[in-house]
């Protein structure tokens, strides 16, 4: 079959800093997905994009072409607005677990199509699979039924959503082109837009445990994704949040479920509660705006009713904290877990071996490096090196000292959990220098660093 364009012309156009045409973009994504553009040609184009970037209109078209490579879900028949959250990934980031239940307890549908972890950041599905019986793979009909009955569903994203992205992401991984803002933004947003959510809240992480280690770059990534979402009719807001320190006190699958349950029971570490509430507020505000703008009835609420107006403007964080304390969010969590075959009352798995990391000095903790803790949890068996690895449900790191805490010599800084004790020494190596100390207490920095919305 004769092709519309020559891949070399497209590569040279981007290499020389020209704007690609819509037809060139549509063709190159389609031709690559069906194997008519060679891996080495797409590698060269990705590197040209990495170095030259994409304009806003090129990026929208690139995202459209990735969406068009697969199927699109449609939640239009649901009697509630849909709002999803996506995190760019961090250490100890268990927020989806309490957040999806909390937001759904306010009558909004939360379809969370998630993935498994690779490398030092854990995957939401791996965490939930620590719960006996819970299953990640649902059919579209099962997902829709659960959104109607319970309101929240966290499940495996089907392979039919933006398949071009899967192929491109694997190629970026081996060509040094992952850390490109337009390529990250189009990769994430193509999947989220194909998923069909009416609103989206992004948690863009910034710090050593994140893709973006600099605040200005995290803000740029957030802005780029918000623009793509809004240009595609998805109400999109981003919070840029701190990932220099792990979130909460645990990194590892069952350990993070346990901590999420503490949050759903009205307790848990302050940073996890603060971020859960901050993201829930953005999600509910976005859902309310969708209700008002597009007239989607929210759980029987007419778009112009006083209730919808209240949801749009007056929902306070205190209302959300109350739902964590009075059991409403926990009830939704239990219903979500049960609907997916999980036993919400079963004891969580624990690792067979533990070991402690002990402080060798006195002082106030000034930092705990997120990347080091993520790598240690991964080495203990909580994460994967390649996609086919299995993870240990009980493995991970439990922190006993976070920034602002005083520790004395001999006090435990962390407990390491694993079924494979030969991993302890490598995990300890990862943690060398992870804690920094000072002579005086430090102010704990807020977890939310910025909010980015359409201007
Ligand atoms: N997550 C994605 O889905 N894509 C990227 O490019 C980076 C993170």
């Amino acid at each position: 079959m004769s092709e519309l364009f020559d891949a070399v012309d497209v590569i040279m156009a981007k290499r020389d800093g020209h704007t690609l045409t819509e037809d060139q973009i549509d063709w190159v994504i389609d031709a690559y997905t069906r194997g008519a553009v060679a891996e080495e040609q797409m590698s060269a184009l990705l590197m040209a994009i990495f170095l030259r970037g994409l304009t806003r209109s090129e990026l929208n078209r690139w995202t459209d072409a990735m969406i068009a490579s697969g199927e699109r879900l449609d939640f239009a028949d649901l009697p509630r607005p849909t709002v999803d959250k996506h995190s760019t990934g961090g250490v100890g980031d268990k927020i989806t677990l309490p957040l999806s239940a909390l937001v759904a307890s306010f009558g909004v549908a939360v379809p969370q199509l998630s993935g498994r972890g690779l490398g030092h950041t854990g995957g939401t599905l791996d965490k939930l699979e620590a719960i006996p019986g819970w299953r990640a793979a649902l059919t579209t009909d099962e997902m829709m039924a659960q959104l109607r009955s319970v309101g929240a569903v966290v499940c495996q994203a089907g392979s039919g959503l933006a398949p071009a992205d899967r192929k491109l992401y694997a190629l970026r991984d081996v060509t040094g082109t992952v850390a490109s803002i337009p390529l990250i933004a189009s990769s994430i947003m193509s999947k989220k837009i194909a998923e069909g959510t009416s609103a989206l809240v992004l948690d863009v992480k910034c710090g050593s445990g994140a893709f973006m280690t600099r605040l200005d770059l995290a803000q740029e990534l957030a802005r780029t994704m918000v623009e793509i979402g809004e240009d595609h009719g998805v109400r999109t807001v981003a919070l840029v949040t701190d990932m220099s320190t792990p979130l909460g006190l645990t990194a590892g699958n069952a350990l993070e479920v346990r901590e999420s349950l503490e949050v759903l029971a009205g307790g848990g570490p302050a940073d996890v509660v603060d971020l859960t509430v901050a993201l829930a507020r953005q999600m509910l505000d976005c859902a309310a705006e969708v209700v008002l703008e597009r007239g989607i009835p929210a759980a029987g609420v007419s778009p112009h009713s006083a209730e919808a107006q209240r949801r749009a403007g007056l929902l306070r964080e205190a209302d959300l904290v109350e739902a964590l304390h009075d059991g409403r969010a926990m009830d939704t969590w239990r219903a979500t877990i049960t609907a997916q075959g999980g036993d919400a009352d079963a004891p969580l798995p624990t690792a067979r071996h533990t070991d402690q990391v002990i402080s060798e000095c006195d002082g106030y903790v000034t930092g705990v490096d997120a990347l080091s803790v993520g790598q240690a949890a991964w080495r203990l068996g909580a994460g994967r090196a390649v996609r086919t690895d299995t993870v240990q449900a009980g493995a991970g790191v439990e922190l006993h000292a976070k920034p602002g805490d005083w520790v004395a010599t001999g006090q435990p800084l962390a407990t390491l959990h694993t079924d494979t004790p030969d991993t302890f020494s490598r995990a300890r190596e990862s943690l060398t220098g992870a804690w920094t100390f000072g002579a005086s207490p430090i102010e704990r920095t807020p977890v939310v660093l910025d909010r980015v919305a359409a201007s």
Side-chain angles (χ1 to χ4, degrees):
M1 168 179 149
S2 85
E3 294 290 340
L4 210 53
F5 294 96
D6 182 342
V8 178
D9 292 336
V10 180
I11 296 164
M12 290 195 304
K14 188 40 70 181
R15 180 199 66 189
D16 296 341
H18 299 299
T19 302
L20 300 180
T21 66
E22 294 188 343
D23 288 344
Q24 281 176 320
I25 292 171
D26 292 350
W27 173 79
V28 82
I29 296 280
D30 174 59
Y32 175 63
T33 311
R34 58 186 162 79
V37 166
E39 298 290 333
E40 58 272 22
Q41 292 176 315
M42 187 50 100
S43 304
L45 180 59
L46 290 173
M47 186 55 82
I49 292 173
F50 184 96
L51 297 171
R52 292 285 192 178
L54 291 173
T55 65
R56 184 166 174 169
S57 58
E58 280 179 305
L59 185 53
N60 275 328
R61 194 69 182 198
W62 185 271
T63 309
D64 284 337
M66 299 228 287
I67 297 168
S69 71
E71 65 192 19
R72 277 184 94 150
L73 296 180
D74 186 358
F75 297 118
D77 286 344
L78 281 181
R80 317 168 182 219
T82 47
V83 56
D84 191 3
K85 185 266 316 187
H86 179 83
S87 156
T88 57
V91 178
D93 184 3
K94 70 273 299 171
I95 299 294
T96 293
L97 279 57
L99 179 68
S100 54
L102 175 61
V103 172
S105 76
F106 281 79
V108 166
V110 186
Q112 278 264 232
L113 275 66
S114 302
R116 293 200 160 70
L118 191 63
H120 73 274
T121 60
T124 299
L125 301 182
D126 297 322
K127 299 177 213 267
L128 284 163
E129 278 173 344
I131 300 170
W134 187 87
R135 76 192 162 92
L138 299 185
T139 64
T140 305
D141 286 349
E142 284 174 325
M143 188 175 82
M144 291 295 180
Q146 190 170 324
L147 284 172
R148 281 174 192 277
S149 59
V150 182
V153 64
V154 183
C155 65
Q156 191 176 331
S159 55
L161 295 181
D165 176 63
R166 221 179 6 270
K167 212 173 159 195
L168 280 170
Y169 199 7
L171 185 60
R172 286 166 56 208
D173 214 17
V174 293
T175 54
T177 52
V178 168
S180 146
I181 286 179
L183 294 177
I184 296 174
S186 56
S187 164
I188 292 173
M189 294 305 291
S190 61
K191 288 172 286 199
K192 290 289 149 187
I193 294 165
E195 176 195 303
T197 187
S198 45
L200 175 65
V201 173
L202 298 159
D203 179 1
V204 180
K205 303 286 187 198
C206 173
S208 78
F211 269 123
M212 296 295 151
T213 51
R214 275 175 31 202
L215 181 60
D216 58 337
L217 294 179
Q219 287 165 321
E220 191 184 330
L221 176 60
R223 249 190 323 273
T224 307
M225 289 197 287
V226 167
E227 283 173 2
I228 296 175
E230 294 285 340
D231 289 347
H232 285 81
V234 178
R235 184 83 191 91
T236 310
V237 167
L239 295 184
V240 178
T241 70
D242 181 43
M243 189 31 70
S244 52
T245 302
L247 259 175
L249 296 170
T250 57
N253 301 310
L255 291 169
E256 293 190 45
V257 175
R258 193 190 73 198
E259 192 166 273
S260 302
L261 287 168
E262 288 167 15
V263 173
L264 286 161
D271 56 348
V272 181
V273 176
D274 289 352
L275 185 53
T276 302
V277 167
L279 288 165
R281 178 165 186 188
Q282 299 302 324
M283 288 171 78
L284 290 169
D285 283 352
C286 283
E289 284 171 29
V290 168
V291 168
L292 290 170
E293 278 168 26
R294 303 181 203 166
I296 300 167
V301 175
S302 129
H304 300 295
S305 69
E307 175 60 5
Q309 303 280 352
R310 190 190 72 80
R311 286 179 195 211
L314 297 178
L315 189 83
R316 288 165 310 127
E317 301 202 342
D319 298 325
L320 294 157
V321 173
E322 198 182 305
L324 290 172
H325 280 92
D326 68 14
R328 268 179 290 161
M330 181 65 99
D331 288 346
T332 305
W333 160 267
R334 292 177 63 82
T336 309
I337 296 304
T338 310
Q340 288 177 244
D343 181 349
D345 295 312
L348 290 165
T350 51
R352 286 199 289 277
H353 303 272
T354 59
D355 195 11
Q356 288 202 318
V357 178
I358 301 296
S359 178
E360 289 171 3
C361 64
D362 294 345
Y364 286 97
V365 178
T366 53
V368 182
D369 182 58
L371 180 59
S372 309
V373 174
Q375 278 173 343
W378 172 66
R379 287 180 165 174
L380 290 164
R384 304 184 169 74
V386 292
R387 277 183 206 282
T388 46
D389 284 351
T390 51
V391 296
Q392 293 178 30
V397 178
E398 194 179 358
L399 300 172
H400 303 301
K402 290 255 299 202
D405 293 340
W406 163 263
V407 290
T409 306
Q411 222 173 290
L413 295 172
T415 302
L416 312 182
H417 298 247
T418 188
D419 293 333
T420 43
D422 54 321
T423 60
F424 280 137
S425 62
R426 296 271 287 145
R428 285 175 167 284
E429 269 172 37
S430 298
L431 291 171
T432 306
W435 282 261
T436 48
F437 299 91
S440 38
I442 57 151
E443 285 277 313
R444 289 195 174 117
T445 49
V447 67
V448 177
L449 305 174
D450 195 10
R451 175 179 182 276
V452 177
S455 42

